[in-house]
Amino acid sequence: MTRCGQPAPFPPSALDPGRRSFIKTGLAAAGLAGLGAGLGAGAAIAAPRIEITPGAFKPIPIAITDLLGEPEIGRNISGVITADLRRSGLFAPIDPKAFVEQITNPDTPRFQDWRVINAQALLTGRVTRQADGRFQVVFRLWDVFAGQQLAAQQFVAQPDNWRRIAHIIADAIYEKMTGEKGYFDTRIVFVDESGQKERRIKRLAIMDQDGANVSYLSRGDGLVLTPRFSPTSQEITYMSYGQGDPKVFLLNIETGQREIVGNFPGMSFSPRFAPDGQRVIMSLQQGGNSNIFVMDLRSRATTRLTDTAAIDTAPCYSPDGRQICFESDRGGTSQIYVMNADGSGARRISFGNARYSTPVWSPKGDWIAFTRQGDGRFAIGVMRTDGSGERVLTEGYHNEGPTFAPNGRVLMFFRDPGGASGPSLYSVDVTGYNEQRVPTPSYASDPAWSPLRS
């Protein structure tokens, strides 16, 4: 046990399996001695919640100090936390040059010094190197005006996992201040595009949600399209056009193991996992029309869900797996429909004077995002699951392919301005607020957001 209210280091834990490289434990729940006066009371204080309404929102000022102990890694962690929260649009990190107090003890900040600069929340912490080479990271989140602790956690991690720890801390702050789960400890799989436009090389790539840690999952010797994450595991499904018929693949991004779901005659489109991770739904072309099929990944049995003379494609399950939204031209133009999971009860939900495509259901179940094309413009928007409340979030020359963050608050999509350039990734809040470009090494399209990492 240490002095000054410092939490005692965690003992070695059997909960640190080889695949995971760190442990996360809430200090208030750990029941450790020596946490310092006020932790229990502070943990019970309700955080000042952020209320988000379109056109009437002001980001909350927060002071994020460099974590003490190990200067370089502490500074790096604080920098990533700052970038995550600023990019969300909900927080306004205060310039460190304005800080009155230079923190020397992360457990006893002088709240009056932080009130002077109008900080509503304050982050302090410490990084300690352990005998086995791992780092212990402790952070505390404070309500400055109440003078109380809002949250505290500590982690044990290998040094090269500092960036992921930063994302998890940012998620904890986001959840405490908004009441919603964060989305920073996630990854994006996308199609990396490089080379001249007429001979573009397309590779499957993956990165952290902020654009860091890019790695490539395919070599670029075949066309890849529509990668999608499993909601229950570290697998993705995608389409590949090489020699012969298009194939739908499963790829385990932890082991690199790849297997073919099926080799389908004609064309296949938009494979996507069911919520249980045990099925893949897709569209298969037969003659001049296409219909929606679902395949059980254990038995490889395929069930046909639609049987029309139209083009039915881009299916996506609701989070509870009971309904499916999809795109169809059965009414004469491309529109969004919703049907039951067995294919019955199809009903149109989009009625605007435009073509609607690429529907995707929010993880919260409240919205369906879409691409809308009309009057030479492409828009990304959302509507309620019955078609009401349609709202355009962003417009441009060629916007397409929305994908939701796991908390349903943010969308990512790609925009291609045309000409000699190529597509780039963007994110936008579901209120239409805070559109931002997402950094990638090259041109990028077809993003898909992962669930929160375990």
Side-chain angles (χ1 to χ4, degrees):
M1 186 181 303
T2 58
R3 298 180 181 178
C4 302
Q6 295 273 359
F10 285 156
S13 171
L15 298 177
D16 190 10
R19 189 177 66 83
R20 295 185 182 181
S21 52
F22 58 85
I23 304 165
K24 178 177 69 172
T25 304
L27 298 181
L32 298 178
L35 293 183
L39 176 60
I45 296 293
R49 287 289 171 83
I50 298 174
E51 298 293 335
I52 307 163
T53 56
F57 172 72
K58 185 176 181 179
I60 187 169
I62 183 171
I64 301 170
T65 66
D66 289 346
L67 304 191
L68 304 179
E70 294 285 335
E72 182 177 0
I73 195 168
R75 187 166 52 250
N76 289 342
I77 290 173
S78 296
V80 170
I81 295 169
T82 299
D84 279 347
L85 297 180
R86 177 181 289 117
R87 198 170 53 254
S88 76
L90 305 184
F91 298 85
I94 296 172
D95 188 340
K97 294 178 182 178
F99 294 175
V100 176
E101 180 187 12
Q102 299 304 310
I103 292 291
T104 58
N105 185 342
D107 308 312
T108 57
R110 296 195 304 269
F111 293 110
Q112 64 272 22
D113 288 348
W114 301 98
R115 295 180 189 123
V116 167
I117 61 173
N118 196 37
Q120 295 184 33
L122 168 67
L123 177 78
T124 64
R126 184 183 298 275
V127 181
T128 306
R129 187 185 297 270
Q130 297 189 314
D132 62 3
R134 295 186 300 171
F135 287 116
Q136 180 195 62
V137 181
V138 177
F139 85 89
R140 298 182 186 275
L141 178 66
W142 306 91
D143 180 339
V144 171
F145 289 95
Q148 296 284 352
Q149 181 173 276
L150 293 173
Q153 289 180 330
Q154 70 177 0
F155 309 83
V156 176
Q158 297 293 340
D160 58 359
N161 271 307
W162 66 266
R163 178 176 284 276
R164 189 170 174 206
I165 288 179
H167 291 317
I168 294 174
I169 293 173
D171 279 334
I173 296 169
Y174 185 100
E175 181 173 1
K176 194 67 178 179
M177 302 299 291
T178 68
E180 298 180 347
K181 289 286 187 182
Y183 58 91
F184 305 117
D185 187 30
T186 57
R187 293 185 283 189
I188 305 295
V189 63
F190 64 100
V191 176
D192 175 272
E193 302 189 16
S194 59
Q196 297 180 3
K197 188 164 187 175
E198 298 77 14
R199 293 178 292 176
R200 193 70 49 85
I201 297 172
K202 296 190 176 185
R203 293 184 290 174
L204 205 59
I206 190 169
M207 65 183 181
D208 295 348
Q209 54 77 30
D210 59 355
N213 295 327
V214 176
S215 60
Y216 296 95
L217 306 176
S218 69
R219 295 189 299 265
D221 49 1
L223 179 65
V224 291
L225 294 171
T226 61
R228 300 290 182 261
F229 268 97
S230 167
T232 60
S233 65
Q234 295 300 309
E235 283 188 315
I236 59 173
T237 180
Y238 67 96
M239 293 166 48
S240 178
Y241 291 81
Q243 296 180 349
D245 292 327
K247 298 178 177 64
V248 176
F249 285 93
L250 287 180
L251 174 66
N252 186 307
I253 57 179
E254 299 292 342
T255 66
Q257 181 178 352
R258 186 176 70 163
E259 60 178 306
I260 296 175
V261 172
N263 188 356
F264 304 101
M267 299 282 284
S268 59
F269 302 93
S270 307
R272 192 184 292 271
F273 282 96
D276 60 9
Q278 299 299 318
R279 293 165 291 158
V280 170
I281 192 169
M282 68 193 84
S283 176
L284 302 181
Q285 183 173 327
Q286 298 171 329
N289 63 311
S290 62
N291 283 285
I292 294 171
F293 293 75
V294 60
M295 173 180 280
D296 187 296
L297 294 176
R298 294 159 294 189
S299 66
R300 291 300 200 264
T302 300
T303 302
R304 183 173 185 157
L305 298 181
T306 66
D307 188 2
T308 71
I311 297 175
D312 296 341
T313 188
C316 178
Y317 279 98
S318 62
D320 61 9
R322 298 173 62 183
Q323 298 183 86
I324 297 165
C325 63
F326 63 101
E327 170 191 339
S328 177
D329 67 353
R330 61 183 64 185
T333 62
S334 176
Q335 300 293 330
I336 298 174
Y337 290 75
V338 170
M339 64 182 176
N340 299 324
D342 63 0
S344 65
R347 55 205 180 275
R348 179 175 167 178
I349 66 167
S350 64
F351 292 94
N353 187 23
R355 298 174 64 243
Y356 291 77
S357 59
T358 66
V360 57
W361 219 299
S362 165
K364 296 171 65 176
D366 52 351
W367 297 104
I368 292 175
F370 56 84
T371 301
R372 191 179 81 178
Q373 182 182 2
D375 298 326
R377 297 180 67 82
F378 289 77
I380 300 295
V382 292
M383 65 176 66
R384 294 189 179 94
T385 58
D386 62 359
S388 65
E390 180 177 331
R391 181 165 67 231
V392 169
L393 306 182
T394 183
E395 288 187 290
Y397 171 69
H398 188 168
N399 297 329
E400 197 171 352
T403 178
F404 276 101
N407 69 351
R409 164 60 59 183
V410 180
L411 283 163
M412 193 174 291
F413 62 97
F414 71 94
R415 173 178 294 152
D416 191 339
S421 62
S424 300
L425 305 187
Y426 289 80
S427 64
V428 65
D429 190 277
V430 292
T431 63
Y433 170 73
N434 193 39
E435 181 178 313
Q436 297 195 35
R437 184 170 179 172
V438 180
T440 55
S442 307
Y443 299 132
S445 61
D446 266 344
W449 218 313
S450 80
L452 279 171
R453 300 171 70 182
S454 59

